[in-house]
């Protein structure tokens, strides 16, 4: 697979770069400090049609695909990683629906998700089931025309602000998760028995909310099942295959933002009578940072371009696409962590204080090695493709 950015993709990249600099960057530190959901970013994305990037035109989207999503996410993450999570979670929550919803379900849900009028969350992780998806315990028992759902979900991004949560449940406890035991059911905000528990106070991406979801005899109409009973594992895995390059794009953006800041700072800051950028010990660090970012970018764009060809249904994903998706996330997130740590070093003591953005970028980078499968899990996926 080769890729060449199209004129349309380049225009999107320029447009998002400008709006990120002009509208998102000025409040990035404030979003981090307040630790509240970034509604202002939602408004900016709504006005500029960014939630619709990956939705078909029929539902009000622009149908630009995974690479376009990644380009937009990268530009936003350069200035504000929390705002990038707003885009990412809308994609993560919508993908199970894109892969498995029927026409009536799409007609009902997609227009308001593509416009951003409604937000959506993805409820997989549980207190006892993180990396080991198969260990999830939330149950959905069919009674007449309802599923009765009981359980607890942990660390669910935006569950408190979303209209819908795509919830992974065990519908057949006798079957293994990957052999038909799991299903995905869409739960709507306000459904009796659905409530939000603890809100996490986080290290980074503090403009994105992360909460516990509690399900106590929560009654959901059977029409909210995605695909067939037992399709859950396939939906979850394919969703993550699609979204990992998008998290990788977030990591890439964070890294590029930190490098850009460090270069500008190193040109201005003088020690020993010279700009610090003239010291070889520092400019070799900058060269390493730049090279690592460019290598990660090629992998992220290649992985996301590969996913343009993957149908949004429950057909199998090729081993090569799975491998590239996992590699892009692992490489870009490790790059983001290394580059942001070095950017703090380049700013010296100023890198360590909140007046300068690189300490926020270093805190924000860390999550990209953890969510949607840790770096260790990506290695398991890559190795399984060998
Ligand atoms: C801010 C934030 C937002 C999140 N948003 C969402 C969301 O929207 N929806 C959702 O469903 N989840 C979400 N998560 C959950 C996230 O995906 C999980 O935290 C992640 O998958 C890891 O699971 P865990 O925390 O249970 O860690 P564990 O699975 O307990 O892992 C602990 C450590 O063990 C390692 N490990 C585990 N198994 C292996 C193995 N077989 N080999 C080697 N090492 C291993 C891991 O890499 C990790 O280092 C979010 C988490 C956070 C912190």
């Amino acid at each position: 697979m080769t890729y060449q950015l199209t004129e349309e993709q380049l225009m999107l990249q320029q447009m998002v770069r400008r709006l990120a600099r002009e509208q998102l960057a000025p409040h990035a530190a404030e979003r981090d400090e307040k630790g509240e959901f970034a509604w202002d970013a939602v408004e900016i994305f709504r006005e500029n049609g960014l939630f619709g990037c990956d939705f078909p035109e029929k539902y009000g989207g622009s149908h630009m695909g995974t690479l376009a999503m990644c380009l937009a996410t990268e530009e936003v993450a350069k200035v504000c990683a929390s705002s990038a999570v707003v885009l990412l979670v809308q994609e993560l929550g919508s993908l199970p629906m894109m892969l498995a919803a029927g026409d009536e379900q799409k007609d009902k849900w997609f227009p308001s998700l593509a416009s951003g009028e409604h937000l959506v969350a993805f409820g997989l992780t549980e207190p006892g089931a993180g990396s080991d998806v198969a260990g999830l315990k939330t149950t959905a028992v069919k009674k007449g025309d309802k599923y009765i759902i009981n359980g607890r979900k942990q660390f669910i991004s935006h569950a408190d602000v979303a209209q819908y949560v795509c919830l992974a449940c065990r519908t057949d406890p006798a079957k293994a998760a990957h052999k038909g035991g799991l299903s995905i059911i869409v739960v709507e905000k306000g459904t009796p028995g659905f409530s939000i528990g603890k809100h996490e106070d986080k290290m980074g991406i503090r403009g994105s909310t992360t909460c516990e979801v509690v399900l106590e005899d929560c009654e959901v109409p059977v029409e909210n099942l995605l695909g067939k009973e037992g399709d859950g594992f396939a939906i979850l895995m394919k969703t993550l295959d699609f979204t990992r390059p998008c998290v990788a794009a977030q990591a890439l953006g964070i890294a590029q933002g930190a490098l850009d800041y460090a270069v500008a700072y190193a040109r201005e800051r003088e020690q020993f009578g010279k700009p610090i950028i003239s010291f070889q010990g520092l400019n070799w660090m900058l060269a390493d940072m730049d090279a690592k970012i460019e290598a990660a970018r090629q992998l992220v764009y290649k992985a996301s371009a590969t996913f343009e060809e993957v149908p949004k249904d429950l057909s199998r994903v090729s081993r090569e696409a799975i491998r590239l998706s996992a590699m892009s996330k692992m490489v870009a997130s490790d790059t983001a962590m290394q580059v942001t740590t070095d950017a703090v070093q380049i700013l010296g003591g100023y890198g360590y204080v909140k007046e300068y953005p690189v300490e926020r970028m270093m805190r924000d980078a860390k999550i990209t090695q953890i969510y949607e499968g840790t770096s260790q899990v990506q290695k398991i996926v890559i190795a399984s493709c060998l």
Side-chain angles (χ1 to χ4, degrees):
M1 158 58 69
T2 55
Y3 66 85
Q4 175 84 46
L5 297 190
T6 61
E7 206 166 305
E8 196 188 29
Q9 288 164 341
L10 288 167
M11 275 168 59
L12 175 81
Q13 188 182 43
Q14 288 302 327
M15 185 273 273
V16 182
R17 186 170 295 166
R18 197 174 52 248
L19 83 84
R21 275 198 198 136
E22 291 171 4
Q23 299 184 45
L24 293 166
H27 301 288
E30 193 183 321
R31 283 182 211 107
D32 174 61
E33 194 188 325
K34 278 191 180 161
E36 291 167 5
F37 183 70
W39 281 113
D40 64 326
V42 172
E43 207 42 59
I44 292 167
F45 297 149
R46 281 176 180 157
E47 278 167 15
N48 290 278
L50 287 181
F51 287 118
C53 251
D54 203 22
F55 280 91
E57 282 160 14
K58 180 177 166 193
Y59 302 107
S62 51
H63 208 215
M64 292 180 73
T66 311
L67 180 51
M69 265 304 298
C70 287
L71 293 171
T73 305
E74 180 187 352
E75 292 306 321
V76 171
K78 279 182 189 173
V79 303
C80 180
S82 289
S83 300
V85 184
V86 172
L87 280 183
L88 286 176
V89 175
Q90 191 76 345
E91 180 73 358
L92 174 68
S94 305
L95 259 156
M97 298 177 174
M98 292 188 196
L99 297 177
D103 288 343
E104 263 182 44
Q105 293 174 318
K106 287 181 181 168
D107 289 345
K108 183 174 172 205
W109 295 322
F110 280 10
S112 66
L113 294 178
S115 68
E117 178 195 343
H118 287 150
L119 299 178
V120 58
F122 176 79
L124 168 60
T125 306
E126 297 185 358
S131 303
D132 181 13
V133 173
L136 72 83
K137 291 200 164 61
T138 295
T139 54
V141 178
K142 200 169 174 181
K143 277 206 180 135
D145 59 355
K146 299 263 166 60
Y147 280 106
I148 316 294
I149 308 181
N150 280 287
R152 262 187 136 74
K153 294 286 172 183
Q154 177 85 353
F155 297 145
I156 308 306
S157 302
H158 308 172
D160 56 337
V161 291
Q163 183 69 19
Y164 307 107
V165 182
C166 287
L167 209 68
C169 306
R170 205 165 265 287
T171 37
D172 189 344
K175 288 186 182 158
H178 62 291
K179 290 199 171 147
L182 300 184
S183 301
I184 309 296
I185 299 171
V186 178
V187 183
E188 196 160 351
K189 184 180 184 172
T191 306
F194 172 95
S195 61
I196 301 298
K198 184 180 169 207
H199 278 74
E200 303 297 341
D201 187 5
K202 303 192 297 291
M203 172 195 285
I205 54 161
R206 291 174 52 78
S208 152
T209 46
T210 313
C211 13
E212 207 180 13
V213 171
V214 183
L215 300 134
E216 289 168 319
D217 291 328
C218 177
E219 291 190 14
V220 180
V222 288
E223 300 91 78
N224 287 19
L225 173 74
L226 292 181
K228 300 189 303 301
E229 257 191 33
D231 281 346
F233 195 77
I235 298 174
L236 292 171
M237 292 304 114
K238 194 159 178 179
T239 293
L240 295 171
D241 290 335
F242 263 102
T243 56
R244 280 170 181 157
C246 301
V247 176
Q250 180 195 26
L252 183 63
I254 297 171
Q256 186 67 58
L259 174 64
D260 293 346
Y261 198 90
V263 170
Y265 182 88
R267 282 209 185 103
E268 293 293 318
R269 173 74 173 168
E270 292 194 1
Q271 289 293 283
F272 301 95
K274 291 182 192 164
I276 60 171
I277 201 165
S278 65
F279 301 133
Q280 194 177 57
L282 277 200
N283 64 39
W284 281 20
M285 261 171 93
L286 291 167
D288 281 339
M289 291 155 80
D290 191 28
K292 281 178 189 159
I293 292 172
E294 194 53 40
R297 176 171 292 113
Q298 298 307 317
L299 198 45
V300 174
Y301 288 8
K302 180 169 173 172
S304 51
T306 301
F307 273 85
E308 310 265 282
E309 320 265 306
V310 176
K312 289 216 175 72
D313 55 28
L314 290 183
S315 58
R316 272 191 72 243
V317 183
S318 72
R319 190 177 283 202
E320 178 61 0
I322 293 173
R323 172 178 163 270
L324 284 170
S325 163
M327 273 186 182
S328 69
K329 181 175 182 289
M330 183 183 82
V331 170
S333 62
D334 288 350
T335 299
M337 205 58 239
Q338 290 162 8
V339 166
T340 53
T341 306
D342 287 347
V344 168
Q345 191 68 21
I346 286 166
L347 267 74
Y350 300 93
Y352 199 69
V353 297
K354 288 190 189 289
E355 197 181 333
Y356 293 82
V358 290
E359 71 82 34
R360 166 171 51 83
M361 291 168 169
M362 183 176 161
R363 287 185 285 108
D364 287 341
K366 186 63 203 170
I367 191 61
T368 64
Q369 292 178 311
I370 297 173
Y371 60 14
E372 297 191 34
T374 63
S375 294
Q376 289 73 30
V377 167
Q378 305 314 318
K379 286 186 214 287
I380 296 171
V381 175
I382 297 163
S384 74
C385 296
L386 293 177

